[in-house]
Amino acid sequence: MSVTIVTGASRGLGLAICQLILKKDSEAKVVAVARSGDQLSDLAAKFAPRVLSIAGDVTDSSVVKQTVEKTIAKFGRIDSVVLNAGLLDPVGHIAELNVDHVRRLYEVNLFSVIDLVAQTLPYVRETGGNFLFVSSGASIKPVDGWSAYGSSKAALNLFCASVSEEEPKVRTISLAPGTVDTAMQQDIREKFKSGMKPEAHKRFTDLHKRQELLPPDVPGTLYANLALQGIPQELSGKYFRYNDDKLTKYAA
Amino acid sequence: MSVTIVTGASRGLGLAICQLILKKDSEAKVVAVARSGDQLSDLAAKFAPRVLSIAGDVTDSSVVKQTVEKTIAKFGRIDSVVLNAGLLDPVGHIAELNVDHVRRLYEVNLFSVIDLVAQTLPYVRETGGNFLFVSSGASIKPVDGWSAYGSSKAALNLFCASVSEEEPKVRTISLAPGTVDTAMQQDIREKFKSGMKPEAHKRFTDLHKRQELLPPDVPGTLYANLALQGIPQELSGKYFRYNDDKLTKYAA
């Protein structure tokens, strides 16, 4: 049996990862963390007693602390942590960025991640477990209007490498899920148009029009398999895109 | 005549860059920004009236605003901005990181940088000018105990690429200065020993013992030349180490 904590678990990629873990391994336990507890109730009802739902904001360190305490109290161990909660906003050109909005993005995309890794590390060391960071292609190649998001994901990649460097007993991976058909993509199409140049924005509306957005299960399967089977040593600390050849065996 | 803003200008690499710019070009103007105004007085006395000193903390957005306003009032233009102010602390292993200390580091190493770039961009666009980001080798390859610093510099590299991507009229470079004989190195040897594994720490004490730390003028010359001559288009948006072959012509 294995225990995986997933943040941003109420929808999209995070929800898909939870469901896939629970379906693929009938012994697996999932701790689903999300701001909105309501959206976790379906998952909890379907897979109880293998699901522990935590309603709370991961940028609140007391929520992170409670998550760890409740996980240990209920399941006794932590094998994997999927750091999925993330924010794209603020989308906008650099001359117009509101630095307070950048700070808020970093609270979600980086500082809460560092907090959760720091607080779970003693337990993940014990199981020789895994940290899976949800990264982005925008961490490697900048996307117009996404400097706050892209830089936070570049920071995440280096943080992932740092955990692997410092902690020989754990494995880590920073994995970009591709362009997935989630609420974030809907926001890009509708809400964030004004913050991007037309041609940069069109790339995303075109992907949607041509129905080329990935179903959440496609990258979700990779995270679920890596969380359940463990990240191989030769991939640890590194960044990959979901369709990298080195990940083929985890794609089904 | 060109006008360059340099942050963290009171000592070490920042001070060297200011002095080199002023010596290399007798028409050049420098705006030297540092928390401690006292340490700027020698520079201002030696090179007045070509120096504008600003005493203030760049994490305070009103200081950034004043810096831009005073620069335009005194010199009328901005050609280059050298984003040098930086903090290494907190140094420590991830399980022991204080997230509030990580936030403080990001205020200096990233958020103040985004603020200064956003506020100077309208002027740097007008001159077809340059943003020079002081990066670190730790942004590419993690150093034990430096996950906060390294991740902030990885974020900086991607932000540098983003500015270049979004702003066709300006040039940017993210440049790692190597291991320079500054107060930061003294802190690493003396103050941050407990936050690093012995073998990781020894690398720095050995460099010092063997007198292999770089004088600030060695990388400083690169920043000064690139600020004065302009960053070539083919290097714009990218990360380099100070000793990269592509930079040889800027090293003297």
Side-chain angles (χ1 to χ4, degrees), chain A residues 43-96:
Chain A
L43 188 79
K46 192 168 173 192
F47 293 100
R50 294 198 288 134
V51 173
L52 170 62
S53 302
I54 312 262
D57 188 328
V58 285
T59 64
D60 177 348
S61 193
S62 70
V63 169
V64 174
K65 189 162 180 277
Q66 278 173 41
T67 300
V68 177
E69 286 170 356
K70 288 180 178 171
T71 302
I72 297 303
K74 186 169 169 84
F75 297 132
R77 59 187 286 156
I78 302 172
D79 296 89
S80 293
V81 184
V82 181
L83 292 307
N84 168 65
L87 206 60
L88 180 61
D89 204 15
V91 171
H93 294 119
I94 290 159
E96 280 84 47

Side-chain angles (χ1 to χ4, degrees), chain A residues 121-141:
Chain A
L121 201 36
Y123 302 100
V124 178
R125 266 186 210 138
E126 277 178 27
T127 58
N130 312 281
F131 290 102
L132 296 95
F133 299 88
V134 176
S135 187
S136 166
S139 70
I140 305 294
K141 192 180 174 308

Side-chain angles (χ1 to χ4, degrees), chain A residues 47-212:
Chain A
F47 293 100
R50 294 198 288 134
V51 173
L52 170 62
S53 302
I54 312 262
D57 188 328
V58 285
T59 64
D60 177 348
S61 193
S62 70
V63 169
V64 174
K65 189 162 180 277
Q66 278 173 41
T67 300
V68 177
E69 286 170 356
K70 288 180 178 171
T71 302
I72 297 303
K74 186 169 169 84
F75 297 132
R77 59 187 286 156
I78 302 172
D79 296 89
S80 293
V81 184
V82 181
L83 292 307
N84 168 65
L87 206 60
L88 180 61
D89 204 15
V91 171
H93 294 119
I94 290 159
E96 280 84 47
L97 275 183
N98 177 321
V99 182
D100 279 337
H101 295 176
V102 178
R103 286 187 179 95
R104 191 187 57 194
L105 177 146
Y106 269 80
E107 287 295 328
V108 181
N109 293 12
L110 190 68
F111 303 147
S112 81
V113 167
I114 294 177
D115 196 11
L116 183 53
V117 170
Q119 293 200 40
T120 52
L121 201 36
Y123 302 100
V124 178
R125 266 186 210 138
E126 277 178 27
T127 58
N130 312 281
F131 290 102
L132 296 95
F133 299 88
V134 176
S135 187
S136 166
S139 70
I140 305 294
K141 192 180 174 308
V143 173
D144 183 72
W146 294 22
S147 63
Y149 180 78
S151 66
S152 78
K153 294 297 187 180
L156 193 75
N157 295 348
L158 197 284
F159 184 74
C160 165
S162 302
V163 179
S164 184
E165 167 79 16
E166 289 187 9
E167 298 286 338
K169 289 181 186 160
V170 310
R171 307 277 174 83
T172 73
I173 195 167
S174 200
L175 189 50
T179 311
V180 191
D181 193 7
T182 62
M184 191 184 277
Q185 282 297 317
Q186 193 175 343
D187 284 348
I188 293 166
R189 290 193 302 276
E190 295 167 9
K191 192 172 147 193
F192 296 134
K193 188 174 178 176
S194 66
M196 301 173 69
K197 292 191 190 103
E199 65 274 22
H201 188 259
K202 189 171 182 296
R203 194 184 118 207
F204 295 97
T205 50
D206 282 355
L207 281 171
H208 181 247
K209 242 182 240 163
R210 295 197 303 259
Q211 301 189 293
E212 288 174 2

Side-chain angles (χ1 to χ4, degrees), chain B residues 37 49 81 88 109 124 126 129 137-138 203 205-206:
Chain B
V81 184
L88 180 62
N109 293 13
V124 178
E126 278 179 27
R203 194 185 119 207
T205 51
D206 282 355

